[in-house]
Amino acid sequence: GHRLPNLEFQLLDVGATRHEGRYDFVFTIDVLHHIHQPLQFFQALRCLMCTRGVWIIIEPNLFHPYIFYQQERMKRQG
């Protein structure tokens, strides 16, 4: 794995976690479009991050051929 003394991986419920200014880096993949209250999510996430924290967001691109294929495959399977 990726073990370093200054590296920690966590899966968090942003709304239920209270660690103000703790995280330097946040990575989300395929999450943002599931958030029902984006402003509250953004505010909670911001509270968790250090002042110069970085958030990398990866979301599906419906125009990418692989994603398009997977979406069509799922539709056909019901």
Side-chain angles (χ1 to χ4, degrees):
H2 303 284
R3 294 192 177 159
L4 296 171
N6 65 342
L7 180 64
E8 177 182 339
F9 292 94
Q10 290 190 1
L11 176 64
L12 298 176
D13 178 344
V14 173
T17 305
R18 301 287 178 245
H19 298 287
E20 302 251 343
R22 180 173 178 191
Y23 299 97
D24 297 313
F25 180 78
V26 174
F27 174 78
T28 59
I29 183 167
D30 200 19
V31 171
L32 198 56
H33 65 277
H34 294 288
I35 305 299
H36 297 290
Q37 297 175 319
L39 182 57
Q40 290 172 338
F41 174 78
F42 299 150
Q43 291 170 336
L45 186 64
R46 184 69 207 124
C47 286
L48 291 174
M49 296 175 65
C50 298
T51 303
R52 294 185 171 265
V54 174
W55 176 24
I56 292 184
I57 308 160
I58 297 178
E59 281 295 303
N61 177 351
L62 296 177
F63 300 106
H64 188 281
Y66 175 78
I67 299 297
F68 180 79
Y69 168 75
Q70 292 298 334
Q71 293 290 326
E72 287 300 312
R73 186 178 60 81
M74 287 188 287
K75 287 177 191 173
R76 289 183 191 136
Q77 291 179 349

